[in-house]
Amino acid sequence: MGFHTKFRTDIRDNCLEAVLTFEHGGNIFTTRREMSNDFHLTVEVDGNTKEFFSEGDFSTTLFQTLRLNEPVLIGTDRSPTKPYISTVLPIFYAKQDGGYLDPYKASANFVQDQHVEMIRFAFGLGPKNSYSAKKDLLKAQDELEAAQRRVVYQQKIVADLSERVDDSPTARAERDGRSSLISSQLSELKDTVDTKSAADDALRDLLNAKEEKLRIAKRQQFDLRTRIAGIDSIRGEIDGEIRTLSLNEESKRAFEFFGGDICSRSDCGLFFSSSESYAKNLMYLKDQIKDLESNSARAEVLQEELERRIDEDEAERLLILSKMNDRPQHAAIDHLVTTVQSLTKELLEIEQKRIIVESLAEERRKYIQFENERASLQDRISNLKNNSKADFEFSKLRSKVREYLIEWLDTLETLNISRDIDIDTSFKFKFGPEPLDVIGGSTRNRLILAIHAAIFQAYLEAPDRPFRFMILDTPKQNELDGQDLTNYLEKLEGICEKFGGQLVLSSTEYHHKIGEKDKEWLPLYPGEKQPMYLGKPGTMLKPADS
């Protein structure tokens, strides 16, 4: 699989290749690796065979097949690098040579913080040290600036449309009711025989509606004038602050002119903070004035538009009133035409407002979308800036592993070890005041087994994670009690049964009880003192009866 392994000379001389068959996603994969110093591996799936001549190419293809996104990491030489299968496997494989001295024992360490980076990669979390983080940060900041401009522009569009129409549920209901009434009146005017009477009723309704519309518009006009007056007042106050700042700066310069009498030192910093404060405050106040001028200009445009609409509505009100007063002097047909024209115009205005309300709803939807995009970019930038700090998901993982680790320590009857466990952001373990490095013997063996089991248990809980196996090569180390190991393995088997995992155990002295679903591979070739796993063709021993 790409994991660096040194074979003895007789194995390299007498064996051609190592073959591994496994299933993933309903497909059967067969890998063959030659027994040579050079990397040459073939993968066969569905009758197709692909060759690999480097561990890097094979790892990339394997990770893509397993739907794992390869991050660009920082190497120990500060160059870009990536995960390899040989850097991931030690999470799930404790080998006899040194595998029970540390929770993570790789054949080579060439990635900065390699252990935690592989943990994060295996669990689908972002890297601790991303090579592309700086480039990504600059790109995200540019995207945030563009998103900010979109939000501000969209905010103005929403504000302008909101000034033009009232889209509250009450106003919508009133417009719908008025539209239905006008449509009904127009139908009556067309169908009724007594058109003159219908026209009179319609004119009275039209006059009442027009007067109500004028009252609302005049209230809006009053509010706008009050707002403009308030803006002018605030601007006057800011102008006064700017003049005060300017006078303070002039005073500072006067003091500097007579500097020899006040402070004889050439590097006198008496006014240093004052100068910086002046520049910052002046820039801030000028920005405030620009915002006020923009708001004032928009309010004045709205005021002019409102005054124009008030004049038009007032002229129409007077026209309707004159028609009603002069009714006896005009023919019924003229009266009817005037009424129909007025009602049709109002109906069109209501329809225009309905269209504006629909546009306002769409623009508000865009505004919310742009705000969400901006918030997402802000979170991304925050994560990129703090990529060396513990993120929330990784904190949850450390907490879960700590909880499971305590349970596994109890299963292994681990004595004289504090349960006050700390797992730092580099995934290093500390038991009370003691780091793992100071602990030895069978106790350390128990700790390593417990750590592997806790990580594996947390990993299996997500059903879509691909590495669903743990390999323990000769776990009985340093006089570890056999019953404690049995309890550990039986519990581990239960975890595998529950979450769909696989346990691979290699042992000589210790023999574990075999279950119905288990497979046992025994040595079946004759050796000088004991049966061997490999031998010459045709010399295989007869398997013992089960």
Side-chain angles (χ1 to χ4, degrees):
M1 291 289 287
F3 195 83
H4 182 69
T5 304
K6 292 181 179 179
F7 294 102
R8 297 184 63 176
T9 304
D10 61 334
I11 294 179
R12 290 202 306 269
D13 291 343
N14 295 289
C15 296
L16 177 63
E17 60 189 12
V19 182
L20 174 68
T21 301
F22 63 92
E23 180 184 358
H24 176 72
N27 296 317
I28 303 297
F29 295 78
T30 301
T31 64
R32 302 175 184 274
R33 184 175 177 185
E34 291 185 358
M35 295 287 187
S36 65
N37 293 326
D38 298 326
F39 187 93
H40 182 212
L41 183 145
T42 62
V43 179
E44 182 180 344
V45 56
D46 294 334
N48 299 316
T49 302
K50 188 172 182 179
E51 288 186 290
F52 297 93
F53 296 94
S54 73
E55 183 193 341
D57 292 341
F58 170 68
S59 297
T60 297
T61 301
L62 180 63
F63 293 149
Q64 289 173 351
T65 303
L66 300 178
R67 297 183 179 179
L68 296 173
N69 295 320
E70 277 186 310
V72 181
L73 304 173
I74 302 175
T76 52
D77 59 354
R78 298 189 175 277
S79 62
T81 187
K82 62 181 182 178
Y84 284 65
I85 187 64
S86 62
T87 62
V88 176
L89 276 180
I91 297 172
F92 309 96
Y93 172 32
K95 63 178 183 176
Q96 183 177 4
D97 254 349
Y100 296 94
L101 296 177
D102 292 293
Y104 177 85
K105 188 69 174 178
S107 54
N109 286 276
F110 53 88
V111 179
Q112 279 190 17
D113 300 315
Q114 184 165 306
H115 184 198
V116 68
E117 292 289 20
M118 295 307 109
I119 289 286
R120 296 177 73 100
F121 172 62
F123 279 85
L125 304 175
K128 178 184 179 183
N129 305 305
S130 172
Y131 185 81
S132 56
K134 186 64 177 178
K135 182 175 67 176
D136 291 345
L137 177 60
L138 293 174
K139 182 181 178 182
Q141 287 174 335
D142 290 340
E143 291 176 356
L144 178 61
E145 187 176 343
Q148 180 68 26
R149 288 195 296 268
R150 285 197 300 270
V151 168
V152 172
Y153 177 73
Q154 194 65 25
Q155 190 177 32
K156 289 181 178 179
I157 292 177
V158 171
D160 290 342
L161 289 176
S162 299
E163 292 286 352
R164 293 175 60 187
V165 67
D166 182 1
D167 68 329
S168 65
T170 302
R172 289 186 185 185
E174 290 176 355
R175 281 194 295 270
D176 291 342
R178 182 62 184 164
S179 177
S180 300
L181 178 61
I182 293 174
S183 299
S184 175
Q185 289 174 335
L186 286 172
S187 297
E188 288 180 7
L189 288 172
K190 292 176 183 177
D191 299 337
T192 186
V193 177
D194 190 4
T195 57
K196 183 174 177 298
S197 176
D200 288 343
D201 293 341
L203 276 176
R204 278 192 294 271
D205 290 340
L206 193 60
L207 180 64
N208 291 335
K210 190 65 66 176
E211 288 176 344
E212 177 62 24
K213 185 178 178 182
L214 274 168
R215 282 194 291 270
I216 293 173
K218 287 179 179 179
R219 281 198 298 271
Q220 292 175 345
Q221 184 185 43
F222 175 77
D223 293 340
L224 269 176
R225 286 175 177 170
T226 303
R227 186 191 307 176
I228 292 172
I231 290 174
D232 291 339
S233 174
I234 295 171
R235 180 176 177 178
E237 292 175 3
I238 292 176
D239 283 335
E241 291 183 20
I242 290 176
R243 285 194 294 272
T244 302
L245 280 174
S246 299
L247 288 173
N248 288 341
E249 182 66 10
E250 290 176 6
S251 300
K252 180 186 78 70
R253 292 185 186 130
F255 275 111
E256 287 176 342
F257 180 76
F258 299 101
D261 297 330
I262 299 173
C263 183
S264 59
R265 292 177 55 187
S266 58
D267 60 344
C268 179
L270 181 60
F271 299 103
F272 178 74
S273 60
S274 175
S275 296
E276 284 191 342
S277 176
Y278 169 73
K280 291 179 181 177
N281 289 335
L282 186 60
M283 183 179 297
Y284 171 75
L285 293 174
K286 287 184 176 180
D287 287 341
Q288 292 293 309
I289 284 182
K290 287 180 182 178
D291 291 340
L292 289 173
E293 287 175 346
S294 175
N295 292 336
S296 178
R298 189 153 57 90
E300 288 174 357
V301 170
L302 292 173
Q303 185 182 27
E304 291 176 1
E305 174 65 19
L306 193 58
E307 288 175 351
R308 184 188 64 76
R309 282 170 23 206
I310 289 174
D311 291 342
E312 289 181 357
D313 289 341
E314 179 62 26
E316 291 176 8
R317 187 189 73 82
L318 293 175
L319 178 62
I320 295 169
L321 193 59
S322 67
K323 294 293 182 182
M324 292 179 65
N325 293 334
D326 297 341
R327 180 173 49 82
Q329 303 173 13
H330 294 81
I333 190 64
D334 294 336
H335 197 50
L336 175 62
V337 170
T338 302
T339 303
V340 170
Q341 288 176 340
S342 299
L343 288 172
T344 303
K345 182 178 179 181
E346 184 177 358
L347 190 61
L348 288 174
E349 289 178 352
I350 293 174
E351 180 63 20
Q352 288 173 348
K353 287 185 178 179
R354 185 187 65 79
I355 293 173
I356 293 173
V357 167
E358 291 178 355
S359 299
L360 178 58
E362 175 62 18
E363 297 301 334
R364 278 183 175 152
R365 185 195 65 77
K366 290 181 181 178
Y367 176 70
I368 293 172
Q369 176 187 340
F370 293 158
E371 281 235 308
N372 290 338
E373 290 174 357
R374 180 177 64 176
S376 177
L377 283 167
Q378 288 171 336
D379 289 343
R380 184 182 171 199
I381 288 172
S382 177
N383 289 334
L384 288 171
K385 284 183 176 178
N386 298 283
N387 60 354
S388 63
K389 296 182 181 178
D391 55 82
F392 180 64
E393 290 299 324
F394 188 53
S395 295
K396 288 201 300 184
L397 172 62
R398 287 155 50 210
S399 177
K400 183 179 291 186
V401 170
R402 178 186 177 278
E403 175 188 344
Y404 293 161
L405 178 54
I406 293 173
E407 296 175 3
W408 285 105
L409 290 177
D410 293 339
T411 300
L412 284 163
E413 297 290 341
T414 311
L415 306 176
N416 302 320
I417 289 295
S418 172
R419 289 343 187 226
D420 180 17
I421 301 171
D422 176 66
I423 308 174
D424 65 17
T425 55
S426 295
F427 224 70
K428 293 188 181 299
F429 294 80
K430 198 171 183 180
F431 302 86
E434 296 181 309
L436 183 62
D437 297 342
V438 304
I439 303 170
S442 65
T443 301
R444 183 161 183 154
N445 185 197
R446 295 169 194 267
L447 292 178
I448 300 302
L449 287 170
I451 290 171
H452 273 288
I455 295 173
F456 189 51
Q457 181 178 352
Y459 184 86
L460 287 180
E461 288 179 345
D464 57 338
R465 290 176 180 152
F467 297 106
R468 312 194 71 77
F469 59 84
M470 187 162 81
I471 304 172
L472 298 176
D473 182 7
T474 318
K476 194 176 189 310
Q477 302 273 329
N478 297 308
E479 299 180 358
L480 176 65
D481 183 75
Q483 186 57 50
D484 292 343
L485 181 58
T486 298
N487 295 337
Y488 170 83
L489 293 174
E490 288 178 350
K491 181 177 178 180
L492 198 54
E493 285 177 319
I495 296 295
C496 291
E497 179 73 21
K498 180 178 180 181
F499 295 109
Q502 185 176 8
L503 176 63
V504 180
L505 176 65
S506 171
S507 181
T508 52
E509 298 178 6
Y510 175 82
H511 185 270
H512 190 64
K513 183 180 178 181
I514 302 300
E516 293 181 1
K517 297 181 180 180
D518 296 331
K519 299 286 185 181
E520 185 176 24
W521 183 24
L522 297 172
L524 294 176
Y525 287 93
E528 292 183 5
K529 295 184 179 181
Q530 60 185 11
M532 306 294 288
Y533 283 98
L534 301 176
K536 294 180 180 180
T539 63
M540 182 181 291
L541 302 173
K542 183 179 178 181
D545 295 334
S546 56

